Amino acid sequence: MKNIILHIFILLFTFFRGVGQKPQLQYVGDDHTCNTNFHDGQMLPSIGTHNFQILRANRSYPNLADDLGWTYNHAPNLAYWNGFFWCQYLSTPMGEHSEPGISLITKSKDGILWEKPKIIFPIYFYYEKAQKYVEVKNTIMHQRMAFYVAPNGRLLVFGHYGGNDGDGIGRVVREVKNDFNFGPIYFIRVNDDWKGNVAYPLYKDSSDQEFVKACNDFLGDPVRRIQWWEEDFLAHDAQSFYLPYERQKAFSFYSISDSLKIGLFKSRMTIITMDGGTRWSEPSPSASFKYGGAKIWGQKLDNNQYALVYNPTDNKNRHPLGVAISDDGLNFNNLSLVHGEVPVKRYWGIEKRPGPQYVRGISEGNGNPPGNDLWVVYSVSKEDIWVSKIPVPISRLQNGKIEDNFNEASSMDIIKGWNIYRPKWCPVSIRKISTKNDKSLCLKDFDPLDYAKALRVLEKQIKNTISFDLFLETMNAPFFVDLNNSLGQALIRFSVNKKNEITIEGLSGNKNKKIFLKRKQWYPIKIKYDAKNASYDITIKNLMEKKDLCFLSEGIPQRIEFRTGFYRLNRKIQEYKSGDQRVVGWDEKGAEQPVEPTEVCIDNFKTHQ
């Protein structure tokens, strides 16, 4: 049946093309933008999504990061090859287009724990004559793609020395070995107008004929090589080697069939091919999609749906990161949240725009990890590198009761059904607690400027009872429990401070008398709410019972979150730390070393209706 529908669709496409029309990529829902006054856009979460930090930049203690100490890290790419995830990204000492620039690469067995990055393309030096000495210069790197798994199984990594204005040095290539070592660097395409020194040999000079064949296979691919167009648009053969149109930026694509493919660019521009990529329609805007100046990623999922991942804004903001889904690859709907956290930028730098941005997934042919999940990489504020695991099918609504005791978890790091925000210094995992034999969900935080968060989407119920057990291991920062409405606004909030004192927000005076919890002891907690009356009861067994308390705002509970820090999603985000790109900013103090940890555990989480 699917083949019949696809055949009809192709016939219709051919007809429309003949009369000068083409199918339109469009967002058909009403929620095509988000509220960027909040970091998460007040969007519904994509259930079960896990955010993992790959790299936390650190200038003064580079051994805690990449052994380099550079604080501009951006534009990551992703592949899965020979049982490992591979991530490549750009780096400069402090800001965008600030020389020198390099590219680094890291790998991971599970997508969660990543090895220390290695330099894959080093600083490129070139020389110009000066009055007394030879003047030594260097350049940045700028590329929109990195990986290519060739038909012969070789993994190639590409980079581009120079910017995206068409006058760079050229494209380089290197083979990655399975043992995390690399082959020699070669140029695969030198800029036609480059007059300086060419520091590496051409790929055809390699004695490894399988490597040469892998390079030729890429050069002969009319679809994938469009990813080079942006930096190489002034090449003498650009109109035949790439596309005969005005240059566009940051190409990605996905296939609806072998012949029908959709191409995506920045600035909402799209192209379509019906012959597998030999001829493409002229780039045109997709007006119903709203996103700022950052990249968009499209991918066919393992369940035969399609996903677009982007910043769904109607302004230049690059937060939050969301995902939309489609059954046919053209009509998208049901936006949900992938990454909605924007911590304070720790380092100043030129054009370090805040937010999760420049998203990339695994291109067709570049591997498929175990499971049905959608994996995407991106930078946060052009400072840190992150990866997200999004369960497929992608959903934003919970149906039915929840009963989580974590004993059946097959992984200590993947918590099924939960949304996890996990910076490097804020691990969230399942582990055994010394006071009992079964497993618990634990949040640990030793980051001075970030926090750990675990969120569970709930079924929308006017009345319900939620219960869980709480365990305080160590307390050096406040811990919060929020029961939120569909917009993420807290209806109920209570916290525990580093003195173990519990506080219920919205109460004052005698109603909120001091109550202290003991560390290394389990406390059963029960919250019974009635959204119609905007009221709730809260009980901590053998310690506290309060009834008929009032909601903090309007709505029906639809998620609960456990967090090792103050709520910050309404914090005003400045594009530049100084407030002006022309004014030097500053680095945050006390951001480069771990602090004393806070660790809290949750168990036996239940909803009773």
Side-chain angles (χ1 to χ4, degrees):
M1 183 66 181
K2 285 185 177 179
N3 289 335
I4 294 173
I5 294 172
L6 180 60
H7 184 66
I8 293 172
F9 178 81
I10 291 172
L11 290 175
L12 288 172
F13 181 90
T14 305
F15 169 77
F16 285 130
R17 189 179 185 187
V19 297
Q21 299 179 15
K22 66 181 179 71
Q24 292 293 315
L25 191 70
Q26 58 184 347
Y27 190 84
V28 297
D30 295 328
D31 56 344
H32 60 276
T33 60
C34 64
N35 182 359
T36 54
N37 290 324
F38 294 83
H39 303 184
D40 64 352
Q42 295 190 318
M43 296 173 64
L44 296 172
S46 178
I47 293 177
T49 295
H50 286 34
N51 311 136
F52 301 109
Q53 192 175 49
I54 296 175
L55 174 76
R56 185 189 191 276
N58 198 315
R59 179 174 292 142
S60 300
Y61 301 91
N63 60 301
L64 299 177
D66 53 8
D67 285 334
L68 190 65
W70 292 8
T71 57
Y72 173 90
N73 302 289
H74 192 39
N77 287 277
L78 188 65
Y80 186 81
W81 176 75
N82 276 8
F84 287 91
F85 291 88
W86 301 82
C87 176
Q88 184 229 51
Y89 62 94
L90 302 173
S91 188
T92 76
M94 66 173 298
E96 186 155 291
H97 294 185
S98 303
E99 302 163 355
I102 62 172
S103 295
L104 296 99
I105 188 171
T106 178
K107 74 170 186 174
S108 169
K109 187 67 177 176
D110 56 11
I112 302 166
L113 303 174
W114 292 77
E115 296 190 24
K116 186 164 288 190
K118 294 183 178 181
I119 296 173
I120 184 75
F121 295 117
I123 298 173
Y124 190 97
F125 295 101
Y126 65 97
Y127 317 105
E128 294 181 356
K129 289 184 178 180
Q131 188 171 2
K132 186 174 182 180
Y133 299 108
V134 172
E135 186 174 357
V136 180
K137 295 187 175 183
N138 54 63
T139 186
I140 63 168
M141 298 198 75
H142 187 288
Q143 61 256 2
R144 301 300 196 184
M145 64 85 65
F147 296 107
Y148 177 63
V149 178
N152 63 7
R154 299 291 184 96
L155 176 61
L156 304 183
V157 181
F158 299 107
H160 178 265
Y161 283 113
N164 65 339
D165 49 11
D167 61 357
I169 298 167
R171 191 84 47 176
V172 284
V173 60
R174 197 172 194 181
E175 184 180 355
V176 175
K177 310 292 186 178
N178 199 39
D179 60 359
F180 207 9
N181 285 311
F182 318 121
I185 300 174
Y186 295 91
F187 270 102
I188 190 169
R189 193 168 165 88
V190 179
N191 190 307
D192 288 327
D193 298 319
W194 174 248
K195 305 301 182 184
N197 58 294
V198 177
Y200 305 113
L202 296 178
Y203 79 97
K204 290 183 179 180
D205 294 336
S206 171
S207 60
D208 185 344
Q209 292 306 303
E210 287 299 306
F211 169 75
V212 173
K213 184 179 185 304
C215 292
N216 285 331
D217 285 337
F218 181 87
L219 292 170
D221 190 317
V223 178
R224 285 165 179 80
R225 69 192 188 207
I226 298 174
Q227 297 171 104
W228 293 1
W229 185 25
E230 178 178 344
E231 296 89 2
D232 200 28
F233 72 102
L234 293 181
H236 299 170
D237 63 350
Q239 292 208 345
S240 58
F241 193 71
Y242 302 115
L243 294 175
Y245 306 120
E246 182 180 353
R247 185 268 302 257
Q248 303 297 324
K249 297 181 178 181
F251 175 76
S252 70
F253 75 96
Y254 59 90
S255 299
I256 295 176
S257 69
D258 289 342
S259 56
L260 178 58
K261 301 179 188 295
I262 309 298
L264 306 165
F265 298 97
K266 295 175 72 172
S267 303
R268 309 174 191 176
M269 302 299 282
T270 63
I271 55 176
I272 295 178
T273 180
M274 271 298 300
D275 59 11
T278 303
R279 294 174 299 171
W280 292 85
S281 63
E282 186 172 358
S284 61
S286 178
S288 61
F289 276 96
K290 304 295 184 183
Y291 58 97
K295 296 177 183 176
I296 184 171
W297 178 256
Q299 187 171 326
K300 187 174 184 178
L301 304 175
D302 286 351
N303 68 343
N304 290 319
Q305 287 186 308
Y306 301 82
L308 292 180
V309 188
Y310 58 103
N311 302 115
T313 73
D314 55 2
N315 51 47
K316 63 181 181 179
N317 286 322
R318 295 183 176 182
H319 68 272
L321 189 65
V323 59
I325 57 175
S326 170
D327 291 328
D328 62 8
L330 291 175
N331 299 288
F332 286 82
N333 204 345
N334 296 325
L335 261 171
S336 58
L337 179 69
V338 173
H339 186 119
E341 297 287 341
V342 187
V344 172
K345 275 188 291 187
R346 302 185 302 282
Y347 303 99
W348 176 78
I350 297 171
E351 279 293 341
K352 287 183 67 176
R353 303 278 293 279
Q357 58 192 281
Y358 271 47
V359 61
R360 281 293 181 257
I362 300 175
S363 292
E364 295 175 12
N366 279 356
N368 189 5
N372 294 326
D373 308 293
L374 170 62
W375 290 83
V376 292
V377 288
Y378 46 93
S379 75
V380 171
S381 304
K382 304 188 183 184
E383 187 162 281
D384 304 320
I385 304 298
W386 286 75
V387 64
S388 279
K389 172 184 174 293
I390 308 166
V392 174
I394 296 170
S395 174
R396 56 185 188 174
L397 297 176
Q398 167 69 28
N399 294 311
K401 294 194 296 184
I402 298 171
E403 188 169 348
D404 292 334
N405 62 19
F406 309 109
N407 287 327
E408 303 303 319
S410 58
S411 167
M412 297 297 101
D413 299 298
I414 303 299
I415 300 98
K416 186 176 180 180
W418 288 74
N419 289 58
I420 301 299
Y421 175 72
R422 178 172 156 167
K424 276 278 192 181
W425 291 356
C426 300
V428 181
S429 61
I430 294 174
R431 70 177 184 88
K432 287 187 176 181
I433 303 299
S434 58
T435 57
K436 61 178 183 176
N437 292 323
D438 57 357
K439 299 174 184 176
S440 303
L441 170 59
C442 297
L443 293 79
K444 190 173 184 178
D445 178 357
F446 45 92
D447 194 312
L449 291 181
D450 214 341
Y451 54 53
K453 186 165 81 172
L455 179 150
R456 193 62 153 104
V457 175
L458 310 174
E459 185 175 37
K460 186 177 181 180
Q461 293 276 5
I462 298 295
K463 294 182 179 181
N464 208 339
T465 299
I466 298 168
S467 63
F468 56 90
D469 298 341
L470 179 65
F471 180 88
L472 308 180
E473 179 76 31
T474 57
M475 294 296 296
N476 290 290
F479 173 74
F480 291 83
V481 179
D482 289 4
L483 193 61
N484 299 334
N485 62 18
S486 62
L487 298 177
Q489 297 168 324
L491 305 176
I492 300 168
R493 174 179 290 156
F494 70 88
S495 61
V496 184
N497 65 21
K498 62 183 181 180
K499 295 181 180 180
N500 307 333
E501 180 184 357
I502 188 166
T503 300
I504 300 174
E505 190 164 320
L507 299 186
S508 59
N510 293 332
K511 291 184 178 180
N512 206 5
K513 67 178 183 179
K514 291 185 177 182
I515 297 173
F516 294 88
L517 306 182
K518 293 181 179 179
R519 298 186 187 183
K520 300 184 184 299
Q521 181 174 320
W522 285 99
Y523 290 93
I525 297 176
K526 183 179 290 186
I527 301 171
K528 183 179 181 180
Y529 70 80
D530 180 348
K532 183 177 180 180
N533 295 317
S535 65
Y536 68 99
D537 305 336
I538 182 169
T539 303
I540 301 178
K541 189 175 181 180
N542 299 326
L543 189 64
M544 181 187 78
E545 182 176 10
K546 294 184 181 294
K547 294 190 174 185
D548 294 324
L549 305 182
C550 296
F551 279 7
L552 298 173
S553 53
E554 296 180 354
I556 300 172
Q558 284 191 251
R559 69 187 86 157
I560 188 169
E561 67 177 57
F562 302 89
R563 190 179 64 246
T564 60
F566 290 95
Y567 177 81
R568 67 184 182 198
L569 302 189
N570 59 353
R571 175 180 62 84
K572 182 175 175 57
I573 297 175
Q574 284 189 304
E575 184 173 347
Y576 308 112
K577 290 183 76 70
S578 63
D580 189 332
Q581 175 76 328
R582 298 163 296 180
V583 178
V584 175
W586 62 88
D587 297 341
E588 295 294 329
K589 295 180 179 179
E592 297 187 311
Q593 289 185 293
V595 295
E596 290 297 315
T598 292
E599 185 169 11
V600 178
C601 298
I602 307 297
D603 201 3
N604 298 319
F605 180 86
K606 297 179 182 179
T607 59
H608 295 258
Q609 292 183 26

